[in-house]
């Protein structure tokens, strides 16, 4: 009886520590991806880089971020997660410090790839720990909220704060932020994966439903292909409709606020038996927003579409990820999910750009493709729900 009485508070305390870890690391680690527009101008100015070189650098960073999944198959269940967090955070700090000192583009690429591999490795830990909490939807909601909040802060502060500073100042600021992450590493249970109860042979709860897992993975991949494809070109859709740049920027800022609010709503709701309903509603909203972008939407229609799109996207994401975490008590399913996210992010803009170009500048083909991707993702994630 005594053991039972103390188990719940211990679990709650452990979850609070995990939530803190997720919040701090997700805000800091995604900063470099969020300030890409700020860094791009600095790199071109300071190193004399071409747009192709800058694009290559960011593609390598994003690729390394998701490819960190591959080595994680080897270490994730074998290493103490606190030790792994300290090691990878130290690499992120060192990588950002070195990035500020190098004056050769080749060396900069190497430094950025190594830094992103370490940051991606910590993301694998975040996703895995989120699925281990008593309320995975809330944990994934925190993961999304703090990325978006930091993104909004960065876009508001960084351009003016670093207007006259060299790119090294930005990288060193990122290193300083990463140092702060070290303060929350001890909030997690480093042995949570290694001390998990051994599976009982033949027990149904220990089996990963292969079809549902495959459907869930495909849902995540298609979701990210669709959203990254549309969001990458949403400003161009606005311009193609003759909407003024300042008005378009204001709309996208409001959409970002809407995204933060919806992620907060998902975080507050947390794990719920109505997850299937919430997912269906979120996907319906996302599909509606894409439909509203067809043709040449006027300002009000474009604003409604952009706000609904961002609101729906960030509302869906915590429940999409918690669906995957519910399918297996192991770590590797969430590890693979990180690979699906990175792959989807990479494929979306490339395919959308090709469809726009092949359509002679029309966005219709791209929007049809995105709409099909959203509907297919919705069908797959509903099939992946565990009864």
């Amino acid at each position: 009886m005594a053991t039972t009485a103390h188990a719940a508070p211990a679990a709650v305390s452990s979850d609070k520590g995990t939530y803190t870890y997720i919040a701090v690391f997700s805000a800091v680690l995604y900063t470099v991806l969020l300030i890409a527009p700020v860094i791009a101008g600095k790199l071109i100015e300071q190193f004399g880089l071409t747009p192709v070189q800058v694009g290559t650098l960011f593609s390598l960073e994003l690729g390394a971020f998701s490819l960190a999944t591959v080595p994680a198959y080897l270490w994730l269940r074998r290493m103490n997660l606190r030790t792994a967090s300290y090691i990878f955070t130290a690499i992120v700090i060192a990588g950002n410090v070195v990035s500020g000192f190098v004056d050769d583009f080749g060396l900069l690429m190497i430094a950025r790839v190594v830094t992103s591999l370490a940051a991606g490795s910590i993301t694998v830990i975040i996703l895995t720990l989120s699925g281990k909490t008593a309320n995975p939807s809330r944990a994934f909601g925190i993961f999304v909220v703090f990325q978006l909040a930091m993104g909004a802060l960065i876009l508001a502060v960084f351009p003016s704060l670093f207007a006259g500073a060299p790119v090294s100042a930005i990288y060193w600021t990122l290193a300083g932020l990463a140092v702060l992450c070290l303060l929350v590493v001890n909030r997690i249970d480093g042995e949570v994966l290694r001390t998990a109860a051994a599976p009982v042979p033949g027990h149904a709860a220990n089996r990963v439903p292969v079809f549902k897992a495959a459907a869930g993975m495909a849902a995540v991949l298609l979701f990210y292909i669709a959203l990254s494809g549309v969001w990458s070109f949403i400003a161009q859709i606005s311009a193609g409709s003759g909407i003024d740049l300042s008005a378009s920027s204001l709309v996208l800022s409001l959409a970002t606020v809407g995204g933060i609010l919806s992620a907060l709503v998902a975080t507050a709701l947390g794990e719920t038996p109505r997850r299937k309903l919430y997912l269906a509603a979120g996907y319906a909203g996302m599909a509606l927003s894409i439909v509203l972008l067809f043709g040449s939407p006027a300002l009000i229609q474009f604003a409604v579409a952009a706000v609904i799109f961002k609101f729906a996207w960030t509302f869906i994401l915590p429940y999409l990820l918690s669906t995957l975490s519910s399918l297996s008590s192991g770590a590797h399913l969430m590890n693979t999910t990180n690979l699906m996210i990175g792959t989807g992010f990479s494929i979306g803009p490339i395919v959308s750009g090709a469809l726009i170009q092949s359509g002679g500048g029309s966005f219709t083909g791209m929007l049809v493709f995105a709409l099909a991707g959203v509907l297919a993702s919705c069908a797959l994630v509903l099939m992946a729900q565990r009864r």
Side-chain angles (χ1 to χ4, degrees):
M1 292 291 284
T3 304
T4 304
H6 291 289
V12 171
S13 176
S14 175
D15 279 357
K16 285 181 179 178
T18 301
Y19 293 153
T20 303
Y21 177 97
I22 293 167
V24 174
F25 271 102
S26 60
V28 171
L29 292 182
Y30 283 80
T31 302
V32 69
L33 304 179
L34 298 167
I35 61 171
V38 182
I39 293 180
K42 298 286 184 183
L43 290 172
I44 292 171
E45 178 186 325
Q46 192 170 325
F47 288 90
L49 303 182
T50 65
V52 171
Q53 287 177 309
V54 174
T56 301
L57 178 63
F58 290 138
S59 294
L60 287 172
E61 282 202 55
L62 187 57
F65 213 89
S66 57
L67 283 176
T69 294
V70 178
Y73 288 118
L74 301 175
W75 61 259
L76 187 56
R77 294 181 69 88
R78 293 179 173 89
M79 284 186 72
N80 179 289
L81 297 186
R82 285 188 184 180
T83 303
S85 297
Y86 281 125
I87 292 171
F88 292 130
T89 305
I91 294 172
V92 169
I93 295 166
N96 281 315
V97 170
V98 170
S99 297
F101 281 111
V102 297
D103 55 5
D104 177 79
F105 179 63
L107 292 176
L108 180 63
M109 282 200 297
I110 293 171
R112 297 318 304 161
V113 166
V114 171
T115 305
S116 292
L117 277 170
S121 298
I122 298 174
T123 300
V124 169
I125 296 175
I126 290 173
L127 292 174
T128 304
L129 287 177
S130 297
K132 290 288 182 184
T133 61
N135 200 323
S137 293
R138 180 159 296 152
F140 290 122
I142 291 169
F143 175 63
V144 176
V145 165
F146 279 83
Q147 286 179 50
L148 293 173
M150 184 62 122
L153 178 64
I154 283 168
L155 292 175
V157 173
F158 260 63
S160 56
L161 192 63
F162 291 92
V167 72
S168 57
I170 298 176
Y171 285 132
W172 292 337
T173 299
L174 296 177
L177 290 172
V179 170
L180 298 177
C181 292
L182 294 171
L183 302 176
V184 301
V185 172
N186 64 353
R187 301 298 302 274
I188 63 170
D189 177 3
E191 296 291 320
V192 67
L193 297 184
R194 298 200 292 192
T195 58
V200 179
H203 197 278
N206 298 312
R207 296 195 199 113
V208 178
V210 177
F211 172 75
K212 289 182 180 290
M217 289 295 167
V220 172
L221 179 64
L222 290 172
F223 176 77
Y224 272 93
I225 288 174
L227 81 83
S228 63
V230 173
W231 196 250
S232 295
F233 292 97
I234 198 163
Q236 281 69 34
I237 294 173
S238 170
S241 301
I243 297 172
D244 180 69
L245 179 60
S246 59
S248 176
S249 298
L250 177 60
V251 166
L252 296 181
S253 297
L254 290 173
T256 300
V257 173
I260 295 172
L261 290 175
S262 70
L264 282 171
V265 169
T267 303
L269 291 172
E271 205 63 32
T272 169
R274 296 178 178 175
R275 181 171 64 194
K276 203 169 182 178
L277 175 63
Y278 291 160
L279 278 167
Y283 273 106
M286 201 168 172
L288 173 63
S289 68
I290 294 173
V291 169
L292 289 172
L293 291 173
F294 277 92
S296 296
L299 177 59
I300 298 299
Q301 185 175 330
F302 173 77
V304 171
V307 171
I308 293 177
F309 185 84
K310 194 66 181 280
F311 189 96
W313 151 24
T314 53
F315 182 76
I316 290 168
L317 188 52
Y319 295 111
L320 178 59
L321 294 176
S322 68
T323 296
L324 268 296
S325 73
S326 71
L327 295 177
S328 172
S329 60
H332 292 317
L333 195 61
M334 293 314 298
N335 183 22
T336 307
T337 300
N338 185 51
L339 184 60
M340 293 298 102
I341 291 171
T343 303
F345 254 136
S346 301
I347 292 174
I350 294 171
V351 173
S352 292
L355 288 170
I356 293 167
Q357 188 170 321
S358 65
S362 169
F363 297 100
T364 302
M366 180 268 283
L367 291 171
V368 168
F369 175 77
L371 182 60
V374 165
L375 295 176
S377 177
C378 179
L380 287 164
V381 76
L382 293 179
M383 283 191 284
Q385 299 300 309
R386 192 159 200 163
R387 291 182 180 179

